[in-house]
Amino acid sequence: MSGVSAPLGLYIHWPYCRRICPYCDFNVYKARGHDTDLTDALIADLAGWADIAGKRAFTSIHFGGGTPSLMTPRDVERVIEAADRLFGLETGAEIGLEANPAEAVALPDLARAGINRLSVGVQSLDDRALARLGRDHDAARAIEAVGIAQTAVERVSVDLIFAREGQSLADWERELTAAIALGTGHVSAYQLTLEPGTAFAKQAETGRLTLPDGDAAADFQELTYGVLGAAGLTPYEISNFARKPDDRSVHNSLYWTGADWIGIGPGAHSRLFSSTTGGRLAAEAKERPGDYIAAVRQAGRGSEAEIRLTPAEDFAERVLMGLRIAEGIDRAALTAATRLALDAVRLETLAGDGWITVTLDRVMLTAQGRLLADRIGGELAEPQAS
Ligand SMILES: C[S@@+](CC[C@H](N)C(=O)[O-])C[C@H]1O[C@@H](n2cnc3c(N)ncnc32)[C@H](O)[C@@H]1O
Ligand code: SF4
């Protein structure tokens, strides 16, 4: 273990799931077995990154997916050991993993392997809704999984999906209340989105699936903020709620604040400031597991050579991410990183229309603005013309 250094995250993408949920468009592949070849490739890829990033300790490690709770505890441990050996871990580093309730029994062993934060994909606490979402667990199993997670680690989050087909506001309020009663320090509540190419998108095109319209979705969001807020779960990001600042996701906060991170595994993205070029480097690993493993075996790296983002691209990313968090965009940090500034006229117009709050230091979405975050972010993503 080493002392505190500039924030750096490590994301590990484990692309396998027991079954593919009809709403999900992540880089996922149906598989039941373990994949030691992939773990070997992850570790070799990480060693390649060590040459580029230099020796900097990780602030956080996050196993995402896919379903990383399908990894063997030994494979998880090997990746954590490699991260510690090649980079070092800050004292008290967050080491998180996304868990499917169907793998609940594995959670204590995953904690012993080094995981100290678990987010459990509960999605719903209604059995019929879970079946419609294509999940391989019922509500009782999900509740049991949260209990096992809480015994295994101190920091637990639950993922929920709202604005589903046929869901009423009263249904959602009941589910939220039941989720709050689980007593986790963190809740992620995502509005169901129709992602192109998914089974749900196809069903919607042919009229076999109808989701609540924009106005209804706004009512769901408002209810979410109201019910979670009344229970002491504060929204620190559009879809993320924490009881205390310590309960917030350290790893996701790195993304939202424009910090550096290294991503390993199929399709994983990386962003790294380069002192050599003075700009932000971006890389994306090969998407398919077989291609990723082959690339690492051949070249010692899972991605093509990293590209340097233009200041305008870097600026746009930082604006879109920074706007998502309650504390908003840090204007001085944005300009220091990109040498670009937010457009004064757009700021004034959006503030005048009630979408954002602008102070000397920061730009935040208003409650009304939260409903259209991406659109507002898109308008601010173009810097002030010089
Ligand atoms: C990688 S998954 C979590 C772990 C595990 N694979 C699982 O599903 O239980 C990340 C989360 O993204 C959310 N998600 C995925 N697709 C979504 C969609 N189309 N709309 C809203 N939320 C979605 C789900 O809440 C899911 O738990
Ligand atoms: S929601 Fe989770 S389990 Fe379902 S396909 Fe996506 S990553 Fe896999």
Side-chain angles (χ1 to χ4, degrees), residues 17 19-21 23-24 26 28 65-67 100 123 135:
C17 299
R19 52 161 117 160
I20 306 300
C21 305
Y23 53 86
C24 181
F26 297 152
V28 290
T67 308
N100 187 306
Q123 320 305 358
R135 303 291 295 181

Side-chain angles (χ1 to χ4, degrees), residues 33-325:
H34 306 307
D35 190 344
T36 307
D37 286 349
L38 179 56
T39 306
D40 292 343
L42 292 171
I43 292 169
D45 195 9
L46 190 57
W49 273 108
D51 295 337
I52 294 170
K55 181 123 179 128
R56 291 170 61 185
F58 286 120
T59 311
S60 62
I61 300 181
H62 186 84
F63 290 84
T67 308
S69 49
L70 287 173
M71 289 177 80
T72 64
R74 180 59 198 140
D75 280 354
V76 167
E77 191 174 45
R78 283 181 63 211
V79 175
I80 297 171
E81 279 169 1
D84 194 15
R85 175 170 42 82
L86 294 162
F87 287 80
L89 300 178
E90 283 181 7
T91 307
E94 175 181 288
I95 307 181
L97 180 137
E98 294 169 10
N100 187 306
E103 277 84 50
V105 291
L107 301 183
D109 283 339
L110 289 167
R112 279 188 279 277
I115 298 299
N116 58 28
R117 183 179 191 273
L118 287 163
S119 49
V120 184
V122 169
Q123 320 305 358
S124 168
L125 287 168
D126 175 309
D127 286 344
R128 276 181 38 207
L130 285 167
R132 182 70 175 99
L133 287 169
R135 303 291 295 181
D136 56 357
H137 58 85
D138 59 15
R141 190 83 192 273
I143 290 168
E144 188 193 7
V146 174
I148 294 173
Q150 285 168 314
T151 311
V153 296
E154 257 181 50
R155 301 173 70 220
V156 178
S157 177
V158 296
D159 284 357
L160 300 170
I161 293 183
F162 66 90
R164 307 180 311 251
E165 182 181 44
Q167 186 186 29
S168 70
L169 287 170
D171 294 337
W172 178 225
E173 185 166 359
R174 260 195 304 277
E175 280 180 76
L176 276 174
T177 306
I180 291 163
L182 298 173
T184 61
H186 192 280
V187 171
S188 300
Y190 301 110
Q191 180 181 335
L192 178 58
T193 50
L194 282 179
E195 304 294 346
T198 59
F200 266 14
K202 283 176 201 133
Q203 290 173 23
E205 275 161 30
T206 50
R208 287 175 293 142
L209 171 72
T210 313
L211 296 187
D213 64 18
D215 284 348
D219 292 342
F220 273 99
Q221 270 222 21
E222 220 168 283
L223 182 68
T224 309
Y225 283 94
V227 175
L228 291 176
L233 283 145
T234 311
Y236 68 102
E237 193 266 354
I238 290 178
S239 308
N240 286 281
F241 303 78
R243 285 188 200 275
K244 308 185 299 292
D246 278 358
D247 293 322
R248 297 176 185 181
S249 162
V250 171
H251 186 80
N252 286 335
S253 298
L254 295 183
Y255 300 142
W256 296 318
T257 54
D260 287 357
W261 82 90
I262 290 168
I264 55 172
H269 290 255
S270 302
R271 293 287 184 277
L272 209 57
F273 180 78
S274 158
S275 50
T276 324
T277 63
R280 209 172 190 213
L281 300 178
E284 184 179 354
K286 298 270 185 208
E287 277 219 335
R288 303 186 68 83
D291 295 344
Y292 174 80
I293 293 168
V296 175
R297 281 185 180 156
Q298 218 178 8
R301 300 288 313 281
S303 48
E304 309 282 349
E306 51 289 336
I307 56 153
R308 191 187 155 192
L309 296 180
T310 64
E313 287 167 342
D314 189 15
F315 180 88
E317 279 191 3
R318 288 172 188 274
V319 167
L320 284 165
M321 296 306 267
L323 214 47
R324 298 190 61 88
I325 46 177

